[in-house]
Each structure stands twice: as structure tokens, then as C-alpha cells.
Amino acid sequence: MSFRVRLILIMTILLILAQLATATAMLRTASDAALERGSQELQVGARVLERMLSIRSAQLRDNVALLSADFGFKSAIATVDRRTIDSVLANHGERIGADLVMLTDIEGVLQANSHRNLGIGSRLPFDALWQEAQHDNGSAGIVMLGNTPYQLVLSPVYAPNLIAWVGMGFMLDSPLAKSLGSLTRHDVSFVTYDDDKTPPHIVTTLDARQQQMLLSLESRIRNGDFVDGPRFTHDGETLMMAYTLARQNDSSIFAVLQTSRQILMAPFQELKVQLLIIFSLAWLVTSMIAVTSARMISRPIQRLAEMARRIGLGERAADVKPAVKGEFALLANTLATMQQSLDRREAQLLYQSRHDSLTGLPNRTTAEQDIAELVSQRSPFTLLRLNINDFKQINDILGYAMGDQVLIGVAQRLLEQSDIQSYRFGGDEFVLLITGDQAPGRMMARFGSLMREPLMTADTQVTLKISIGEVASPEHGDTPAQLLRRSDIALYQAKETHTMALRYVPGSDEHHQRQLQIIHDLPRALRDGQLCLYYQPQIDINCGRVRQYEALARWHHPKLGFVPPDEFITLAEQSGNIDLLTAWLMTTVLHQLSAWRREGVVVNVAINLSAEDLRNDELPAQLRECLAHHAIPAAQLRLEITESAVMHEPSRAIALLMQLRDAGLELAIDDYGTGYSSLAQLKRMPVSELKIDKSFVMHMHQQPNDEVIVRSTVEMGHNLGLELVAEGVENIVTLKRLAALGCDYAQGYGIAKPMPAEAVLPWQREHDRRCVDGDVVLLPTPT
């Protein structure tokens, strides 16, 4: 470096340092003056606030005094004419724009008010102001009401003695803050603190960001850091002064005035500009040589930076590559290569996010986008939702690798169909999209036949069973979510009915939504007491006396109305809520049995168990614990199970029934004759009773075949040592035929309909009274 260059550099540096020192001193002096002026303005603003509040207080006092002197108002108070009182209070309040108007008796109990949080008959919540009013014959101050500050005036009403107190108040609200802000040219806030756990209430002219800053200063404001005089906040950008308006119990109300350093320094911006111009000119003279050199170096760097920026925005490298040479050209080529790699990786990630990794088919996300596009274009199309039945067995028997090959084979078979678009939704489920109008059912038949053809995978032939649900747009929906949901409903119905393919039936969605609502609401209904139990008696055919009652659950849904037991019990089993329902049933029945025992009546009750209950290994222990808790003998409780419930897992179910029998509980087979149990399994079951299904009993006096079935069931049951109960007895002829056949007990609407618990004992007393010589006179004669 030459001497000239070094000399120029030294002079330039000295000049710059001198200018910086001068500018710093001048700006600091100007800053101190501006801040001192700002502090004085805040103190003036505080006095303006005090004056405005004083004017408002005087306005309130004058209007309250005028109201207190109103003869009609005094008369209304004396006669307790609430309508006139409310009218006068409202008129006087509206006249001055009061936000709060109230009337109390001489003890401070509210008789009328305009605030929703103050109830008639409650006491004034601000004791200090009330005590002051009694002592000074009136008072004025700032109070808290519902987390909101009010400027309130209380004044007595004499006629001629003290008959009441009337109060009016203005809210310390946003208009007041804005008005003070306009007068003082500062930001004004009214801040109320209740306790450490309650967020402060703020009325302010500040924006959201500044309000957060104000909230962060809560501890300093509470401690009075800003009360003695203006102080800067922690960031040094805001000058603040707090003014204590009132303290009520644990609440403190502050008026906060603040201004920013930027506003205070605004008049000195011209000085800054002048200094900046002088500094810039000097800097320009000393930097001209460096600028020329820097330009030569920085220009290619800027071009490369622009290239990197545009690559980041997704533009092609070939379109943005700058014309540079030398080492910069090498860097440009490197950036272009990097951009090409990013393009390839982005394309790969996009493909993976929209396609199934196993089959290569588009996935659910792609399907929803394609369906949405067709819907927006109002183009007709058909959706098929295809599911491989018993696919889990393929995985379990042949292995997961073979299961994957089956899925790949199905996908390949679908890809060979050029007129459809196929998607895999995960697991063993596929969706097919066929554009254009299609005859209902034609595509289901086509793909049903296609999928039934044997599939060869790794020298193993697999014959698939599938279910298909079909929907069409716009007939069955106009949104992707609706169409996919309804195709799923159609698929579910096809699987439930063991039908290969079903088209969506309008109304099924509503039924599905009803089922979802029942499943969702059942746990809450059990907690909230929406379900109740009805009891249907079972009588001894020989003497007519009541033997026991069957507990039947009833649900009156607040929106759906009466929900049939078969519906919500089935859905409880499917949704896993049956344990909750069974626990509620046991607890409710045993609680009722305990209540009847306290009245001196011992009644036996039967409850029904579901197939899912027989899979609950904890059920015997739960029943024993519940019986012990309510002090009910096991003999008072009978458990009824259906044949089909035992058929799911016979060995496990019979083992659990054995435990229940060993616990002292009587067991019965319900709805006998409608299931599929064999006699071999029946004799293994530890039951003591068979209940003949009502479908065989109701018309046995008219249908000889039904009577044959009942007779053979009675004979078989007795030969096995079981007692027989006939359900569905509705007339005296049926009862007598059952007696002639040797049936032991009867139950049905002809004897009594299910009744609420409170009706059981009165009905039983009346029934026992009307039993004459072993015959039941309550039964009607059949028509």
C-alpha cells in the first residue's frame, strides 16, 4: 500500500471519527431535551385527566341531584312503583349518556339497576364508596363492577326522611381514552388488576402489540414504578406514567399515559438529516476509489445471489443462470446442478405423497383432488369402493408377504382397465373412478366378475371375495367428502348383508349419522341419567303369583326421541360401549332391589347379557363386588343370555357362565328357538331355565305348528331338568294352553307391559289381590 493511499485512509478515518463524535454529542443533547419535554407533557396529561374526571363527576352529581329532587321519582320509590322507577332511571341515564344507573334502599340493597351482573336484592359490591356516602351524605369515586371500571356518584333521596340512594356512573371506556388521547396527544389506558390469577382488564388507545408490552409491565405498575413520575420501559422506547385512580378490595385501577421515543424525537429529525448529509458527503469523497473496486467485485456476486434467490422460488436454473466468468462461472454451474437435483427430489417426493408405496396406485389424497376437480366441473362420474373380504385371513394363513402380492395383483388387474382411474385407500380397500354417465349396477357387475377370477401369486392360486359400494355424482352427493362417505356406507351395507355389491340408497347417510350420534351420545346419556329401566313381570302359570321381573332399558334421547333398545344395544356392542351399559344396568338394578328391600319387599329381577359381556373375563368379579356393595343375595338376580351370544366362542362363554353359576347366580337361555345352538351345547350350559321366544307363543292358539314347537320345547326342557318360561303371552287362551302343555312361567303384554320402578309394587299388590283360585283374571280373551 502506497503512502498516498495510507494518508488518504488515515485522513478519511479521522474525519469520520470527528464527525461521529460531534453528531453523537448533538443528538444526545437533543434527545435529553426531547425526553424532558415528554416527561412534562405526561405530567400535564395527568392533570388533564384529573380535570376531565372532575368535570364528569360534577356532571354526574348535578344529574343525580336533579333526579333525587324529582317528586314523581320520590313518589314512585315510596309506592314501590318499579315500572316508574325503571323508566325515570333510564330517562335520566340516557339524558347524560350514563352507562350505569342504580337505586338502593337505605341499607344499600339494590332495588333497580342497569347492570346485568348486579341482581335485584343484592348489596352494593363497593363498601368503601358506600361507607363514604353514608358518612358524607353522598360520594363519588372510581369503582370496579364486573371487571370494568366505572366513575360512580351516590346521592341520597329524601322525602323528607332518607328513603333511598340513587347512583349514576360513566364507564371508563374506549371513547374516554380516545378523548383524553386527543387532548394530551398521548396514548391513554385504563388498566384494572384484580389478583395474580385474573388477567387485567384494559381499555386503551394502544394497538395489539403495544397492549402486550403494557401487560408485560404488570408487576412494575402494581409496585408503583411509574406513579412517582415518568419512566422508560425496559426496551427504552416508551415513556410511561401511571396514575392511581382507585383501589377496591384486591382490585387496583390505574390510568396509564405513555408516548414513544419516536414521537418525542420527531422534531429533531431535520437535524439528523443535516448531519447525515454532511456525513454522507464526506464519506462519499473518501470512498469513491473503494466504490469503483467494490463494484467490479460485487456485480457478479449480486448476479449469483439473484440466481440463488430465483432458484429458491422454484424457477429453472437454465432460465436464471447469469453471464459470469472465471471462478464465478464455476459457482454458477454448481448452483445450476444443485437446482436440478432439487427438482428431481421434489418430483420424487411429490409422487410419493400422492401414490401408494406398495401398489403404485394413486392414494386417497390424489383421489380427493381428482373427485373435487370433477365435481367443480359438474362432470358426471361413478365411484366404486372395493374391499377384499377376509383379507386378514390371507395374511394370517399365507403370510404378510403373500398378502402384499395379492394387493399388487389386484392393483395390476385394475391398472389393465384403461377406462377407469384406480386408487388405493390403504389396507385392503380400493376406489375406482369412472367418468361419464353409467347405468346403475353395470360397473359393479363388471368389476365383481373381474375380481372373482382366481389370482396367481408365487405359484399359489387365490380366489378373492370382494364387496363393492357404488355412488354416482351428482345423484348421490356434490362434495368429495360426501361421496366418499356414502360409498363407504354402501360398502358397509354390502358387507353386512353378505351381498357382493350394493348401490347407495338415499337416506342411508341419515341412518348412518343417526347411528354415529347414538354411539357418541350413549356414554353421556348413561352419565346424565337419560336411560331408565322398566320392569316386566313373569308369573307362575300354576298359581298366578309373580315370580320375578325382567329389567328392560329405555332411552328417550333429547333430540332423537325414543331409541329402541335393540338399536342402541347393538350399536353399543359394535362400538365397545357395551361394558358401560352393562355396568350401568347392574348398578341400577341392584340399587333398585336394595330400595325395595328397605320397603320390606323382596323381588327377583332378571337382566340380559350380550355376546360381548361373555368375552369380559372380569364380569364374575364385577358382579360379586356389586352384589356385596348393595348387600343383595345372588339368588335375587338372574342373568339371561341368548343362544347366539354363546355361539361366538362356545368354550370361553360356557367357562364364564360356569363362574357365574358358582357365584350363586341363576342363568337362563333367552329367545330360545331363534338361535343356532345345538342340543350338545345346550346340555353343557350351566343354565336352569329356557325362555321360549315370543314368535312361537303369540299365535300358538291359531298356529298348530307353533304349538307343536312349544310342546316339544317344554318336554325337552323338562327332560333336561330345566324350567320353561313362555314370552309373548297376550291372552287367557294362550296361558291356558301353556298350562296344559306343562309350561312353568309366563311373561307378556297380556299379563303386564313393562313399567317404571315406581309402578312395580302397586301393580304387584293389585295383581296379588286379583289372583283368584290360581287363575289370572287380568288376561283378555283373544279376538
Side-chain angles (χ1 to χ4, degrees):
M1 182 182 297
S2 65
F3 175 76
R4 175 182 289 181
V5 174
R6 283 181 289 176
L7 183 60
I8 293 174
L9 289 176
I10 292 173
M11 293 179 63
T12 303
I13 292 172
L14 290 175
L15 177 61
I16 292 173
L17 291 176
Q19 289 178 333
L20 286 175
T22 303
T24 300
M26 295 179 64
L27 290 176
R28 178 170 295 177
T29 302
S31 176
D32 292 342
L35 294 180
E36 178 62 23
R37 182 172 59 86
S39 177
Q40 295 174 357
E41 289 179 356
L42 286 179
Q43 294 175 358
V44 171
R47 291 193 291 272
V48 171
L49 170 61
E50 292 180 12
R51 179 58 180 165
M52 178 169 285
L53 291 178
S54 175
I55 293 172
R56 285 162 56 98
S57 178
Q59 184 182 7
L60 286 171
R61 287 181 183 276
D62 293 344
N63 200 68
V64 169
L66 181 63
L67 177 58
S68 301
D70 190 318
F71 178 79
F73 182 59
K74 293 180 182 180
S75 299
I77 295 173
T79 59
V80 196
D81 185 353
R82 295 190 179 279
R83 186 172 181 179
T84 302
I85 291 172
D86 291 341
S87 175
V88 172
L89 289 176
N91 290 337
H92 278 264
E94 291 174 358
R95 185 177 303 165
I96 65 168
D99 301 300
L100 176 65
V101 185
M102 61 176 65
L103 178 73
T104 75
D105 62 16
I106 60 176
E107 298 298 330
V109 177
L110 284 168
Q111 305 300 312
N113 79 92
S114 62
H115 198 280
R116 63 179 181 274
N117 289 340
L118 292 177
I120 303 301
S122 62
R123 294 191 60 84
L124 286 176
F126 15 87
D127 294 334
L129 193 68
W130 170 245
Q131 296 298 330
E132 180 184 346
Q134 291 181 309
H135 183 268
D136 297 336
N137 202 32
S139 61
I142 308 297
V143 299
M144 280 295 300
L145 193 56
N147 202 28
T148 303
Y150 288 84
Q151 185 178 7
L152 182 66
V153 169
L154 287 176
S155 180
V157 181
Y158 292 97
N161 296 322
L162 177 65
I163 61 172
W165 290 84
V166 65
M168 285 190 183
F170 292 124
M171 187 188 302
L172 300 187
D173 54 8
S174 182
L176 174 61
K178 291 179 179 178
S179 176
L180 286 170
S182 299
L183 288 173
T184 62
R185 293 183 298 175
H186 301 307
D187 286 312
V188 178
S189 305
F190 298 109
V191 187
T192 304
Y193 300 103
D194 281 339
D195 51 49
D196 294 336
K197 297 181 180 179
T198 305
H201 175 77
I202 299 178
V203 176
T204 182
T205 59
L206 298 172
D207 57 30
R209 183 187 64 81
Q210 293 172 318
Q211 288 186 42
Q212 290 300 318
M213 184 274 296
L214 184 61
L215 289 174
S216 68
L217 298 173
E218 176 178 347
S219 60
R220 293 186 62 185
I221 295 176
R222 281 176 177 268
N223 295 332
D225 289 0
F226 299 96
V227 174
D228 297 332
R231 297 285 190 277
F232 273 107
T233 57
H234 61 276
D235 60 0
E237 292 299 321
T238 304
L239 190 64
M240 177 182 294
M241 181 176 182
Y243 176 72
T244 305
L245 294 178
R247 297 186 184 273
Q248 175 183 322
N249 298 329
D250 294 333
S251 301
S252 300
I253 308 171
F254 295 89
V256 179
L257 289 83
Q258 62 190 83
T259 187
S260 68
R261 180 188 293 271
Q262 183 178 2
I263 294 175
L264 296 175
M265 295 301 297
F268 299 92
Q269 292 302 317
E270 185 177 352
L271 175 60
K272 289 184 178 181
V273 172
Q274 292 174 354
L275 291 174
L276 181 61
I277 292 173
I278 296 171
F279 186 87
S280 298
L281 289 174
W283 178 259
L284 181 62
V285 172
T286 58
S287 304
M288 289 181 62
I289 299 174
V291 168
T292 304
S293 299
R295 183 179 300 170
M296 295 175 61
I297 298 173
S298 63
R299 187 171 295 168
I301 293 177
Q302 290 174 349
R303 291 174 179 174
L304 289 173
E306 177 65 14
M307 176 185 177
R309 186 188 68 82
R310 296 178 67 179
I311 288 175
L313 295 175
E315 298 185 36
R316 301 292 301 173
D319 299 331
V320 300
K321 185 176 179 181
V324 292
K325 300 177 181 180
E327 291 82 357
F328 293 116
L330 178 61
L331 181 57
N333 292 332
T334 302
L335 287 173
T337 303
M338 179 186 69
Q339 196 271 342
Q340 292 170 1
S341 299
L342 290 174
D343 284 348
R344 288 193 297 270
R345 188 173 301 173
E346 183 179 350
Q348 182 181 5
L349 292 174
L350 181 62
Y351 180 86
Q352 292 175 350
S353 69
R354 293 173 60 91
H355 290 77
D356 175 53
S357 60
L358 176 64
T359 63
L361 291 177
N363 59 15
R364 185 187 190 100
T365 301
T366 307
E368 290 174 348
Q369 293 175 353
D370 292 348
I371 294 171
E373 184 176 354
L374 288 174
V375 169
S376 65
Q377 296 172 357
R378 301 183 181 276
S379 301
F381 61 91
T382 299
L383 276 182
L384 299 183
R385 200 165 189 135
L386 184 149
N387 178 262
I388 303 174
N389 296 335
D390 301 323
F391 183 72
K392 184 177 183 298
Q393 294 185 5
I394 296 177
N395 282 332
D396 293 342
I397 298 173
L398 302 179
Y400 287 97
M402 183 64 71
D404 288 345
Q405 291 302 314
V406 169
L407 292 174
I408 293 172
V410 171
Q412 187 62 40
R413 191 170 288 182
L414 293 176
L415 286 172
E416 293 171 357
Q417 311 302 309
S418 59
D419 58 339
I420 68 165
Q421 176 61 56
S422 304
Y423 308 88
R424 185 188 177 204
F425 270 35
D428 54 0
E429 194 167 299
F430 297 84
V431 168
L432 314 180
L433 188 152
I434 307 99
T435 57
D437 290 317
Q438 305 292 334
R442 185 176 72 85
M443 300 307 295
M444 289 192 296
R446 168 187 165 185
F447 287 99
S449 300
L450 177 67
M451 290 297 117
R452 279 198 299 266
E453 297 178 5
L455 187 67
M456 292 297 300
T457 57
D459 299 328
T460 301
Q461 180 173 296
V462 179
T463 301
L464 302 178
K465 294 181 180 180
I466 64 166
S467 297
I468 300 176
E470 178 183 273
V471 294
S473 176
E475 178 183 353
H476 295 140
D478 54 6
T479 66
Q482 192 177 55
L483 289 166
L484 289 173
R485 184 177 69 250
R486 291 180 173 176
S487 68
D488 191 41
I489 293 171
L491 174 63
Y492 174 78
Q493 292 174 340
K495 293 173 72 70
E496 284 291 303
T497 58
H498 302 287
T499 306
M500 185 195 72
L502 278 181
R503 186 178 175 88
Y504 174 77
V505 178
S508 301
D509 198 6
E510 289 75 10
H511 177 67
H512 179 66
Q513 295 297 329
R514 172 186 169 89
Q515 290 181 324
L516 291 178
Q517 184 170 6
I518 290 174
I519 291 172
H520 176 270
D521 293 348
L522 180 57
R524 178 178 294 178
L526 293 172
R527 293 194 304 269
D528 297 347
Q530 294 179 20
L531 272 74
C532 65
L533 287 180
Y534 275 52
Y535 298 84
Q536 187 174 31
Q538 185 183 107
I539 66 168
D540 189 319
I541 292 180
N542 295 319
C543 66
R545 297 292 181 180
V546 176
R547 180 213 186 195
Q548 68 177 17
Y549 292 85
E550 181 179 1
L552 303 169
R554 296 292 184 264
W555 184 9
H556 287 273
H557 192 282
K559 293 182 180 179
L560 303 178
F562 177 74
V563 182
D566 290 345
E567 183 178 10
F568 70 78
I569 291 175
T570 301
L571 292 174
E573 291 178 328
Q574 295 173 356
S575 63
N577 288 328
I578 193 65
D579 290 344
L580 296 176
L581 183 58
T582 301
W584 172 86
L585 178 63
M586 291 190 302
T587 303
T588 306
V589 166
L590 293 176
H591 179 78
Q592 185 59 55
L593 288 175
S594 178
W596 282 332
R597 287 179 71 90
R598 288 195 297 271
E599 295 185 36
V601 179
V602 178
V603 176
N604 296 341
V605 173
I607 63 175
N608 293 277
L609 297 182
S610 72
E612 294 299 321
D613 291 324
L614 298 184
R615 295 190 183 96
N616 181 8
D617 295 333
E618 302 297 324
L619 181 63
Q622 292 172 357
L623 272 168
R624 285 194 296 268
E625 181 181 351
C626 207
L627 286 167
H629 177 74
H630 291 88
I632 299 296
Q636 275 191 256
L637 189 65
R638 185 179 297 268
L639 305 179
E640 297 182 0
I641 48 152
T642 63
E643 298 174 86
S644 57
V646 180
M647 288 298 295
H648 287 291
E649 296 181 63
S651 299
R652 180 178 180 181
I654 291 174
L656 188 137
L657 291 176
M658 293 279 191
Q659 296 181 48
L660 294 173
R661 183 199 60 186
D662 295 342
L665 295 161
E666 294 290 333
L667 304 175
I669 296 292
D670 194 16
D671 300 335
Y672 182 76
T674 60
Y676 302 97
S677 64
S678 65
L679 293 178
Q681 287 182 345
L682 178 61
K683 72 178 184 179
R684 292 174 54 204
M685 297 181 192
V687 298
S688 59
E689 179 182 291
L690 287 183
K691 297 187 72 174
I692 306 172
D693 188 70
K694 64 183 179 181
S695 61
F696 304 116
V697 177
M698 292 178 63
H699 305 293
M700 61 177 288
H701 63 287
Q702 297 172 335
Q703 300 289 338
N705 290 338
D706 287 349
E707 183 171 339
V708 170
I709 294 173
V710 173
R711 179 188 296 111
S712 62
T713 304
V714 171
E715 292 175 356
M716 179 200 67
H718 284 163
N719 290 333
L720 292 174
L722 305 176
E723 294 183 312
L724 276 298
V725 180
E727 297 181 299
V729 177
E730 297 191 353
N731 54 70
I732 190 65
V733 173
T734 302
L735 184 66
K736 290 182 176 180
R737 288 301 303 149
L738 291 168
L741 295 175
C743 188
D744 301 299
Y745 307 105
Q747 177 181 342
Y749 276 26
I751 298 169
K753 294 182 179 180
M755 64 191 78
E758 60 269 16
V760 168
L761 297 185
W763 179 90
Q764 182 168 327
R765 285 192 289 267
E766 177 65 15
H767 175 82
D768 292 343
R769 186 184 65 81
R770 297 178 64 181
C771 285
V772 179
D773 298 328
D775 195 9
V776 182
V777 300
L778 297 179
L779 291 176
T781 301
T783 57

